[in-house]
Amino acid sequence: MAGVYLAAACGGSSEQPSQDSTAASASKAETVASPAAKPAAEQPPSADRVTLQEFPVPSGAHPHDVAPALEPNGIVWYTAQHQEALGILNPLSGETRHIHLGSGARPHGVIVGPDGAPWITDGGLNAIVRVDPSTQAVTVFPLPESTGYANLNTATFDLSGICWFTGQSGIYGRVDPETGELKVYEAPRGRGPYGICTTPDGNVYYASLAGSYVGHINTATGAVTELNPPTSNQGARRVWSDSRSRIWVAEWNTGQVSLYNPTDGSWREWLLPGASPRAYAVYVDEQDIVWLTDFGANALVRFDPTTETFSAYPWPSSGAAVRQLLGRPGEVWGAESGVDALVVARTASPG
């Protein structure tokens, strides 16, 4: 069993297919031996109580993104980017398994679709990939050859069941799981589309790292409206929605988190604590608490929008390099790509 680590918080506040889709034969899931998990500890009681638990995965996997199944204590999917595989973690036993995605695969992002299956953006295959959770069958939706190398990044499903995705080479696109129809669009300002999310009211937004803007996709036409945070060249890297369909943005270049309110078009920004913050990922939990990964501090950062205060929790391992966050009630999951491990922050509040 994996152990839980002491997460000492430092508080602070700062305002500041088309039809050419192909189905691969079912892949056998291999059980992979993982090193022994580390021991545990817990943060003393405070306004927000957080415990961190680390799960080693096979050496050399370089887990990039992670997606927990929605059921409590359910399995956790992760992309084993350097081993051409989709990984499966059982958080109760610590056991991992790998499903091979095909020769040349380099899976980047993974999310759980409305069908309960993991959907993957695969830069090596230049394709969107679905894995059947029951049979492990791999279905590949390749991008048109005319697209070229897309450097696929992240995906999200809109409320109609369409899968939208981004590519850092300067594209975004969509695939219809029912028909296999896949479309690719050229992004404004070219290179940069990165994180992407869907809001509770059905809107789709993506962040452009190189373009330093947030794109609002018209899901009916595919057109994009460019939204500009107040700070120029901020390096918008990932985006997430809160329960009010407001958009939170992790700003890589400036170490800020920003908030866009589509109701009135307003923006706000806050600088993360520490000497040289680098905000990579952002995720908003079921309590509308904002979580970020800070490469500068090697830490998970919690931001409470009500009090406008930050708390920082160092990752269990140095050089963790957590690039993405996803969660389920009471849990925030990340992949420690720098040390071949997954990590979960379990949260609880008094009362």
Side-chain angles (χ1 to χ4, degrees):
M1 287 289 292
V4 184
Y5 277 75
L6 175 63
C10 300
S13 66
S14 177
E15 280 212 22
Q16 310 268 343
S18 80
Q19 292 299 324
D20 56 358
S21 70
T22 60
S25 59
S27 298
K28 184 178 180 180
E30 301 177 355
T31 300
V32 185
S34 294
K38 297 182 180 179
E42 182 178 294
Q43 180 195 344
S46 66
D48 57 287
R49 189 170 161 220
V50 175
T51 59
L52 296 179
Q53 185 174 12
E54 189 177 68
F55 297 87
V57 300
S59 178
H62 189 78
H64 198 288
D65 281 19
V66 62
L70 294 181
E71 60 270 16
N73 298 317
I75 63 170
V76 179
W77 307 95
Y78 65 92
T79 49
Q81 191 174 55
H82 290 180
Q83 294 180 342
E84 301 180 335
L86 176 68
I88 307 171
L89 167 73
N90 180 336
L92 297 180
S93 67
E95 179 184 81
T96 59
R97 292 182 291 146
H98 279 181
I99 300 170
H100 190 239
L101 299 178
S103 178
R106 195 170 176 85
H108 187 288
V110 59
I111 60 171
V112 177
D115 56 357
W119 288 75
I120 302 147
T121 44
D122 195 300
L125 300 178
N126 213 36
I128 307 302
V129 178
R130 177 189 184 272
V131 176
D132 188 287
S134 299
T135 66
Q136 283 84 57
V138 176
T139 303
V140 178
F141 300 86
L143 272 61
E145 289 188 10
S146 58
T147 304
Y149 174 61
N151 195 4
L152 289 169
N153 195 280
T154 315
T156 187
F157 278 84
D158 67 20
L159 300 188
S160 298
I162 300 298
C163 179
W164 292 86
F165 56 87
T166 58
Q168 287 190 74
S169 295
I171 63 98
Y172 63 97
R174 49 165 279 166
V175 60
D176 185 335
E178 294 296 324
T179 66
E181 181 185 21
L182 190 149
K183 294 182 180 179
V184 173
Y185 305 88
E186 293 186 4
R189 308 185 199 178
R191 194 170 58 88
Y194 208 91
I196 190 170
C197 73
T198 301
T199 65
D201 63 9
N203 285 281
V204 176
Y205 295 83
Y206 70 83
S208 176
L209 175 59
S212 284
Y213 71 93
V214 173
H216 178 202
I217 300 175
N218 183 321
T219 55
T221 66
V224 164
T225 300
E226 299 170 51
L227 307 169
N228 297 298
T231 303
S232 61
N233 300 316
Q234 79 296 131
R237 191 152 204 162
R238 289 192 183 265
V239 288
W240 205 259
S241 174
D242 62 21
S243 65
R244 298 161 60 183
S245 295
R246 301 180 304 174
I247 300 301
W248 293 87
V249 186
E251 298 180 359
W252 174 250
N253 295 342
T254 61
Q256 298 181 141
V257 58
S258 60
L259 170 64
Y260 171 70
N261 189 338
T263 301
D264 58 12
S266 63
W267 285 89
R268 293 195 67 191
E269 293 177 318
W270 296 263
L271 180 66
L272 271 63
S276 55
R278 302 298 297 273
Y280 200 118
V282 61
Y283 169 74
V284 184
D285 70 16
E286 72 281 359
Q287 302 295 326
D288 274 348
I289 297 297
V290 181
W291 299 87
L292 303 113
T293 59
D294 181 0
F295 267 48
N298 192 52
L300 175 67
V301 176
R302 178 189 188 274
F303 178 68
D304 187 334
T306 302
T307 61
E308 299 185 22
T309 56
F310 289 96
S311 300
Y313 306 90
W315 296 118
S317 299
S318 61
V322 177
R323 304 170 188 275
Q324 170 261 7
L325 296 172
L326 270 180
R328 54 191 173 200
E331 298 179 351
V332 179
W333 283 85
E336 295 180 309
S337 62
V339 295
D340 288 330
L342 305 187
V343 63
V344 59
R346 292 191 172 88
T347 64
S349 299

